[in-house]
Amino acid sequence: MIAAMPVEIWDVREFTPAQARAIGELVAQVWPKPHLTAADRAEQQLALGQQFRGKPGPAPRSLVVVEDDRVIAHAAMLPREIRTSQGDMTIGGLARVCTDGAMRGRGLGELIVRAAFGLVDSGEYPFALFQTNFKTCGFYEKLGCVRALNPFINSLGAEPKSSPFWDELVMRYPGGEHWPSGTIDLRGPGF
């Protein structure tokens, strides 16, 4: 069952403190870390917007479902220029996909991820790229994703030949042709 709720698209560069706080509260709930409070997570959201302010190209976005003034589902789509065997390519980095624990089972995860992939379907990005684990792999495959089996590096990192991703799997949307072969340089940290 997919929830019949509207998905709002917020430009990360224009976050209000209230929007950053709402996302920060959800992220802190879903991925609690003793050294990061909801306020810290909100600051991360504002910092993310600052990183992209003034850059040309697609806007980084947060796709959210809001209920009773709370963000109950979130996904970020961040533009990333990667280096591939086919040349440079700007892809959408899918990140921070999460749903309020009390709201699970309503189809919000699928709703929010489909909305993020809509940015690919509309032609804004040729692909979405993200990391996940074996537990959620089937969810993404059902939405048309496939594993990206390329080696991934970050030529700008302290260990440039090491994978910048920390999760078990890297996936892309859509499946099908035109994805480059060979090593992919993320030119930055994993997301």
Side-chain angles (χ1 to χ4, degrees):
M1 170 185 102
I2 297 178
M5 301 184 78
V7 174
E8 297 179 25
I9 301 176
W10 297 347
D11 186 323
V12 170
R13 300 167 301 182
E14 305 300 326
F15 273 158
T16 66
Q19 289 171 322
R21 184 175 54 255
I23 294 169
E25 287 170 356
L26 177 63
V27 171
Q29 177 211 99
V30 174
W31 295 299
K33 293 188 177 179
H35 64 285
L36 290 174
T37 65
D40 295 328
R41 296 293 197 158
E43 285 300 319
Q44 288 176 335
Q45 297 300 315
L46 293 170
L48 183 61
Q50 292 298 322
Q51 290 173 340
F52 283 96
R53 187 154 288 139
K55 287 187 179 180
R61 319 280 169 69
S62 276
L63 299 100
V64 298
V65 176
V66 178
E67 184 175 80
D68 298 327
D69 296 325
R70 286 185 321 115
V71 172
I72 60 171
H74 174 268
M77 187 66 97
L78 309 172
R80 285 296 287 267
E81 187 173 314
I82 62 174
R83 180 172 292 138
T84 78
S85 61
Q86 297 175 6
D88 293 348
M89 176 187 300
T90 301
I91 53 95
L94 181 67
R96 299 183 179 122
V97 176
C98 53
T99 301
D100 184 305
M103 303 295 172
R104 295 205 176 124
R106 294 174 50 184
L108 295 171
E110 182 174 345
L111 179 71
I112 207 79
V113 171
R114 283 190 189 278
F117 291 163
L119 298 174
V120 175
D121 296 339
S122 71
E124 188 164 334
Y125 300 103
F127 295 98
L129 186 68
F130 58 98
Q131 62 182 322
T132 191
N133 55 47
F134 286 105
K135 190 168 115 180
T136 59
C137 178
F139 165 80
Y140 288 108
E141 288 173 334
K142 180 178 87 171
L143 300 179
C145 300
V146 296
R147 290 180 62 183
L149 300 174
N150 311 64
F152 288 89
I153 64 167
N154 171 12
S155 64
L156 304 178
E159 296 180 34
K161 297 297 180 191
S162 297
S163 176
F165 289 118
W166 54 89
D167 233 329
E168 300 168 307
L169 301 173
V170 178
M171 297 188 82
R172 65 179 168 89
Y173 173 85
E177 300 177 19
H178 308 297
W179 179 252
S181 61
T183 300
I184 305 288
D185 184 355
L186 286 189
R187 294 177 166 165
F191 41 87

